[in-house]
Amino acid sequence: AQSVTQLGSHVSVSEGALVLLRCNYSSSVPPYLFWYVQYPNQGLQLLLKYTTGATLVKGINGFEAEFKKSETSFHLTKPSAHMSDAAEYFCAVSDQGGSYIPTFGRGTSLIVHP
Amino acid sequence: SQTIHQWPATLVQPVGSPLSLECTVEGTSNPNLYWYRQAAGRGLQLLFYSVGIGQISSEVPQNLSASRPQDRQFILSSKKLLLSDSGFYLCAWSAGGRYEQYFGPGTRLTVT
């Protein structure tokens, strides 16, 4: 069975600082990995995804994530935080060739201070 | 391009009243469809998913039900709402054979 752990329910950064949101997963088969962002009172929006190939994937709004198989991690980063990045971020995993039902992490709230 | 709609955007209903939330997808055919609930301060809970017309799978036993009367229409219903049904309801779709999901804008349900 899959599981996703997002370390830290809240992460606080200053504007212009590095953003690092952590995601670790467990999966018995090669995973597909996703990050979604949710702004207040809105639905989730796909930020980026890893399926196969290059382990460093770039997404929208300057975010990127690196798949590290040895660490079973898929951490989300952004070099310089903007106030507009304040939102809830969800990591999700699906098993390649498995069910189309992803397992979501519990989410990390990103707070950006001016 | 594909678009997903949900309505209503907000809803306040008394305990014991019925519920009907609708979700429609445009620009694709035979999508996988999903209903999630998000309680305040909590993560996503999958309620139902559907891989085709009339094919509904329930993930959590409760007083809610789902139907898919048309290929791109997904309806969430209840005969009698409970206080615990309050939350943010999200509809999502994914293309056949694909794993990434695309979410609608959500419906904020408050049961009073």
Side-chain angles (χ1 to χ4, degrees):
Chain A
Q2 309 153 333
S3 68
V4 177
T5 302
Q6 291 185 239
L7 295 176
S9 59
H10 295 82
V11 170
S12 182
V13 301
S14 297
E15 192 172 20
L18 171 72
V19 175
L20 171 60
L21 304 182
R22 299 178 186 273
C23 173
N24 288 89
Y25 69 91
S26 68
S27 176
S28 57
V29 298
Y32 290 141
L33 296 159
F34 309 88
W35 275 100
Y36 293 84
V37 60
Q38 184 181 29
Y39 299 101
N41 296 311
Q42 296 185 25
L44 279 68
Q45 179 183 6
L46 181 67
L47 261 183
L48 49 77
K49 64 180 179 181
Y50 168 79
T51 53
T52 58
T55 57
L56 180 64
V57 293
K58 296 185 184 298
I60 61 173
N61 301 338
F63 284 93
E64 63 182 33
E66 185 171 11
F67 168 54
K68 291 188 176 180
K69 183 179 178 180
S70 61
E71 299 177 7
T72 59
S73 69
F74 191 56
H75 301 332
L76 181 71
T77 61
K78 182 174 180 178
S80 177
H82 291 255
M83 296 296 291
S84 59
D85 294 326
E88 191 84 13
Y89 291 81
F90 292 92
C91 181
V93 61
S94 293
D95 286 342
Q96 290 189 28
S99 163
Y100 293 105
I101 309 299
T103 298
F104 283 87
R106 294 185 62 83
T108 297
S109 178
L110 177 65
I111 302 163
V112 183
H113 296 287
Chain B
S1 65
Q2 300 85 13
T3 309
I4 179 169
H5 302 279
Q6 281 187 249
W7 63 91
T10 60
L11 192 59
V12 180
Q13 292 284 94
V15 169
S17 63
L19 173 72
S20 180
L21 303 181
E22 189 164 343
C23 170
T24 59
V25 181
E26 297 177 352
T28 188
S29 60
N30 197 30
N32 297 327
L33 296 171
Y34 312 81
W35 277 113
Y36 289 91
R37 178 170 60 201
Q38 205 174 16
R42 303 186 67 177
L44 292 166
Q45 178 188 29
L46 179 65
L47 302 175
F48 301 94
Y49 68 94
S50 171
V51 298
I53 296 175
Q55 302 178 60
I56 310 292
S57 296
S58 174
E59 290 293 301
V60 181
Q62 58 214 332
N63 68 321
L64 299 173
S65 62
S67 62
R68 185 171 177 172
Q70 301 181 39
D71 180 44
R72 291 168 290 174
Q73 184 184 30
F74 206 22
I75 297 172
L76 182 69
S77 303
S78 174
K79 293 181 179 179
K80 289 186 177 181
L81 283 168
L82 307 172
L83 285 175
S84 58
D85 292 322
S86 293
F88 193 48
Y89 287 81
L90 290 162
C91 181
W93 72 275
S94 64
R98 303 294 295 263
Y99 291 81
E100 61 268 29
Q101 295 184 334
Y102 299 93
F103 287 78
T107 295
R108 176 77 59 190
L109 172 66
T110 303
V111 183
T112 60

